Amino acid sequence: METDCTRDDARVNGLPPLPAGTRLLHIGPHKTGTTSIQGALFAARDRLPEHGVEFPARTRHPMEAALAACARPAMMGDATPTERHWTRLLRQVDATGRRTSVVSSEFFADAEDDATVARIVEQLGGERVHVLVTLRPLARIMPSQWQQYVQNGLRMGYQDWLEHMLRKAPYDKPNPSFWRRHRHDRLVERWARAVGPERVTVVVVDDSDRGGLLRTFEALLGLPAELLQPVPDAANRSLTLAETEMLRNLNKEFRGNGLPDELYSTLVRNGAVMHMKNACSPAPDDVRISTPGWALESAARIGARTAERITGLGVRVLGDPALLSAVPPEPARQPPAEPRVAPEVAAQALYGVLAAAAAAPVRHTAEAKARTVHQTASRELVKVLGHRCLKKLRRR
């Protein structure tokens, strides 16, 4: 049950809360603060009910449910989400009754047609659904999104990737999901058609106000100020340029040797990369992923058109739409530095692979015993070990 003091706290923040019983659907998109919101909501889930709010998902991020709802594939090598994931989340939402609830997944932004969006809205509660979209400038999203694609097997370098996304029509190779997510005006318009513009809120994230997004969620949900707190998450940090290039070259070897996708998920993304992120923090002198000026200007032009279209859709916009066309300030010019992976970072990545594989020890066959490792071609050795490891993982 909602309390008067909760509503008063929200009004102090200058933003009236959504009506009681609203089902707030946060659709991202990617790289707009979604992980910080999900972490804060999940950490506070036991305190939310006393303020009339529920976080019905049983995990921080119901990614499988969102992917199943949008009929999208899983990350490379992961098990394909099924309708069971989505129906389970729907049951959890339905169990909140007439209380306000909030569901957050950036993968809802991957719904690519009106029929899919309309079905998601209807199944979540129809007229009770209010859609929340968080936006950041494309110039800040592009390097983060590129390295995220590399973590999912991409082999293309950043400069080439920018050329394909910004200069080579129809701009859908190698990652067609990028513009489905990040033509933000079309994204907002797609969901506004399903719920009506009066039930869409767009939040333009101001990176200079670190707590601003959490405070906005508190106000919209009628929560006391400071209830939602940031939760450190090393596993969600972006890779440095050197780390990304190391992984990108590994992706080339992985694909070149024809190894199975399941092995990539287990040993690379959830083994090497995950352990490297958790064990190693970027150093101040690490070379950053740098976006060339022509791409920044192109992103700014798209952002300006996006902001203009969104403000004309009749949806509620919180924050300054002009930020969507902002160009990050150029850092002081320095001699180009070669991105190099520190030995300890490489060691942690290798350890992550070994730790992931440790649960599936490889027994040597008679054929392998007949030849030493040094007598086996590296390409053949990688392929044999990969398939053996995968066989053990499948048995588990």
Side-chain angles (χ1 to χ4, degrees), residues 313-343:
L313 291 174
V315 301
R316 175 167 58 172
V317 179
L318 304 177
D320 183 4
L323 291 175
L324 297 180
S325 58
V327 176
E330 291 267 359
R333 292 199 174 276
Q334 296 176 342
E338 184 73 20
R340 295 190 179 278
V341 177

Side-chain angles (χ1 to χ4, degrees), residues 59-311:
T59 60
R60 176 190 64 79
H61 177 200
M63 179 176 67
E64 293 86 356
L67 287 170
C70 299
R72 304 306 304 168
M75 301 282 280
M76 177 181 170
D78 288 353
T80 302
T82 66
E83 193 67 17
R84 177 176 56 86
H85 293 98
W86 175 234
T87 54
R88 180 169 57 197
L89 179 61
L90 290 176
R91 286 196 301 270
Q92 292 163 349
V93 172
D94 191 58
T96 64
R98 300 305 304 174
R99 298 164 74 83
T100 297
S101 57
V102 55
V103 173
S104 173
S105 173
E106 56 270 38
F107 285 96
F108 284 114
D110 283 354
E112 59 183 330
D113 59 75
D114 286 0
T116 300
V117 171
R119 176 177 54 81
I120 291 170
V121 169
E122 184 60 32
Q123 291 178 331
L124 277 174
E127 293 184 356
R128 293 178 61 184
V129 174
H130 189 101
V131 175
L132 178 63
V133 188
T134 46
L135 299 181
R136 295 176 73 229
L138 273 177
R140 294 192 180 276
I141 287 173
M142 290 188 303
S144 296
Q145 189 72 92
W146 170 71
Q147 60 87 31
Q148 193 67 52
Y149 283 129
V150 172
Q151 292 182 55
N152 198 38
L154 180 69
R155 291 164 285 170
M156 185 178 286
Y158 187 44
Q159 305 296 322
D160 286 344
W161 184 81
L162 290 171
E163 288 277 349
H164 279 74
M165 291 294 101
L166 296 169
R167 285 179 166 174
K168 294 188 177 181
Y171 317 107
D172 61 355
K173 296 180 187 298
N175 302 113
S177 63
F178 181 78
W179 290 118
R180 187 186 310 127
R181 298 166 178 175
H182 297 301
R183 267 311 299 249
H184 298 148
D185 50 346
R186 296 173 186 170
L187 175 68
V188 173
E189 185 178 30
R190 196 156 59 239
W191 286 85
R193 282 196 296 266
V195 299
E198 69 282 357
R199 287 193 283 128
V200 176
T201 296
V202 174
V203 179
V204 180
V205 179
D206 184 351
D207 288 329
S208 67
D209 182 5
R210 291 188 175 275
L213 187 55
L214 294 178
R215 306 291 79 81
T216 299
F217 265 77
E218 288 169 346
L220 289 171
L221 293 170
L223 298 173
E226 309 296 329
L227 177 65
L228 299 180
Q229 292 295 319
V231 178
D233 185 5
N236 188 56
R237 75 164 176 86
S238 292
L239 300 180
T240 66
L241 178 58
E243 291 168 344
T244 309
E245 284 298 308
M246 176 180 71
L247 178 58
R248 188 173 70 84
N249 282 280
L250 174 58
N251 291 348
K252 291 181 181 180
E253 292 297 317
F254 191 94
R255 284 299 195 194
N257 284 285
L259 296 178
D261 289 354
E262 295 96 320
L263 206 61
Y264 188 91
S265 171
T266 302
L267 299 185
V268 180
R269 186 172 56 250
N270 295 309
V273 176
M274 186 65 69
H275 189 77
M276 181 175 66
K277 284 183 175 183
N278 282 316
C280 304
S281 298
D285 58 348
D286 279 336
V287 181
R288 69 185 185 90
I289 300 172
S290 179
T291 304
W294 70 263
L296 293 175
E297 292 171 5
S298 180
R301 288 194 297 271
I302 295 170
R305 291 197 298 269
T306 294
E308 183 179 2
R309 287 204 66 217
I310 288 176
T311 54

Side-chain angles (χ1 to χ4, degrees), residues 347-378:
Q348 293 296 347
L350 179 58
Y351 176 78
V353 174
L354 297 175
V362 179
R363 294 186 179 89
H364 294 294
T365 63
E367 177 188 4
K369 289 178 180 177
R371 290 185 295 168
T372 68
V373 170
H374 298 290
Q375 292 171 322
T376 306
S378 60

